[in-house]
Amino acid sequence: DAGITQSPRHKVTETGTPVTLRCHQTENHRYMYWYRQDPGHGLRLIHYSYGVKDTDKGEVSDGYSVSRSKTEDFLLTLESATSSQTSVYFCASRAGQGRSGELFFGEGSRLTVL
Amino acid sequence: AQRVTQPEKLLSVFKGAPVELKCNYSYSGSPELFWYVQYSRQRLQLLLRHISRESIKGFTADLNKGETSFHLKKPFAQEEDSAMYYCALVFGNEKLTFGTGTRLTIIP
C-alpha cells in the first residue's frame, strides 16, 4: 500500500449538512483523486488534483468541491449533502507522469445521507 | 468520448474452469488499459497493465485494437480469484476512467 488513509471511514449525516472527507498520503505523490463507487456505476471520478492548489473536475463533480493546500492532503467537501451522495468514496494517488494508470487507493469512506 | 464497458455484472465459474472477464473500450487516442481488482475487505489494487504484457496470479490480458477489447483471462480459476474486477482506461495523461465492474465468484 502507498500509505493512503481516509477519514472518516464511516459517516452518517442528514440531508443539507456539510461533510468533509479527508485523504492523506505519505508517498509525496503529485496526483490525487476522489472517486465514488456505486452499484451499477462502478467507480466514477469526482475531482482530481495534479499538484498543490491545482485541481480539476471529473465526470460527477456537481455538488462536490475539493481543496489541496499540501501535497499530502486532499479534501473532498459536500457543501450540502443529498441522499444521492450516499456512496462509498475512494481516494487514490499516484506518482508522476509515465505511470499514469498505477493508482494507489485508500480503504474507502462509506457515507450515508439520510 | 472515452468509455469502458464491462458487459457482465456478475460471473460465476467453477474452480478449475477457464475465466474470461470482458472489457471493451472506446477512445480516439492511443489506449492505455489496466485491470484493477478488489478482494473482499481489501483495497482496490492494480492487477495488470497492458503495456507490461505480464501475467499476474495467472491472469493475462491482451489489447486487441481491432476489436477495441482488453479481456482478462485465466486458464484455471481458483477460489481466491473471487473478487470485483474493474477494467480502466487512461485518458488525458492524468485521468483514469473505470468500467462498471464484474463480480467474479468461483464455485468450489
Side-chain angles (χ1 to χ4, degrees):
Chain A
D1 294 333
I4 298 180
T5 56
Q6 295 181 225
S7 60
R9 295 288 314 285
H10 301 273
K11 185 170 182 67
V12 180
T13 191
E14 294 188 348
T15 298
T17 59
V19 176
T20 295
L21 305 180
R22 178 177 183 249
C23 179
H24 179 79
Q25 54 104 353
T26 58
E27 300 297 316
N28 201 35
H29 284 172
R30 177 183 174 188
Y31 295 87
M32 297 185 75
Y33 303 80
W34 276 107
Y35 287 88
R36 58 178 290 174
Q37 183 184 46
D38 303 288
H41 292 277
L43 287 158
R44 292 180 292 175
L45 181 64
I46 305 171
H47 281 281
Y48 70 102
S49 169
Y50 46 97
V52 173
K53 298 190 189 309
D54 291 324
T55 65
D56 205 350
K57 296 179 180 179
E59 60 182 306
V60 289
S61 59
D62 288 348
Y64 302 95
S65 62
V66 290
S67 65
R68 190 153 178 220
S69 59
K70 297 185 290 185
T71 298
E72 57 266 35
D73 290 328
F74 192 34
L75 304 181
L76 177 71
T77 298
L78 291 66
E79 301 291 347
S80 177
T82 66
S83 58
S84 64
Q85 293 175 312
T86 292
S87 186
V88 181
Y89 292 86
F90 286 94
C91 176
S93 73
R94 69 173 176 92
Q97 293 181 331
R99 299 181 72 82
S100 50
E102 187 171 5
L103 269 58
F104 295 91
F105 281 84
E107 295 175 293
S109 295
R110 184 175 295 275
L111 175 66
T112 302
V113 184
L114 302 175
Chain B
Q2 63 286 336
R3 182 181 294 173
V4 176
T5 303
Q6 293 181 251
E8 305 139 328
K9 288 186 180 180
L10 303 171
L11 182 65
S12 295
V13 174
F14 284 101
K15 178 182 175 181
V19 176
E20 183 178 52
L21 287 81
K22 292 184 169 51
C23 173
N24 289 90
Y25 68 91
S26 73
Y27 182 50
S28 57
S30 182
E32 208 176 332
L33 287 148
F34 304 80
W35 277 98
Y36 277 77
V37 61
Q38 188 176 26
Y39 300 105
S40 178
R41 304 186 193 284
Q42 294 188 27
R43 302 173 189 232
L44 198 66
Q45 58 187 285
L46 178 66
L47 179 64
L48 281 179
R49 71 194 83 201
H50 91 269
I51 201 167
S52 301
R53 302 181 65 82
E54 58 202 341
S55 173
I56 304 292
K57 299 184 179 183
F59 284 99
T60 58
D62 290 321
L63 176 62
N64 186 322
K65 292 187 179 180
E67 296 182 357
T68 60
S69 68
F70 187 56
H71 302 328
L72 184 67
K73 300 177 183 179
K74 184 170 183 176
F76 307 104
Q78 298 173 295
E79 289 185 62
E80 54 264 34
D81 296 330
S82 292
M84 191 75 173
Y85 292 80
Y86 290 98
C87 184
L89 168 73
V90 168
F91 65 100
N93 204 35
E94 294 178 337
K95 293 174 282 191
L96 200 64
T97 190
F98 288 83
T100 51
T102 299
R103 182 168 298 282
L104 176 66
T105 301
I106 305 303
I107 305 166

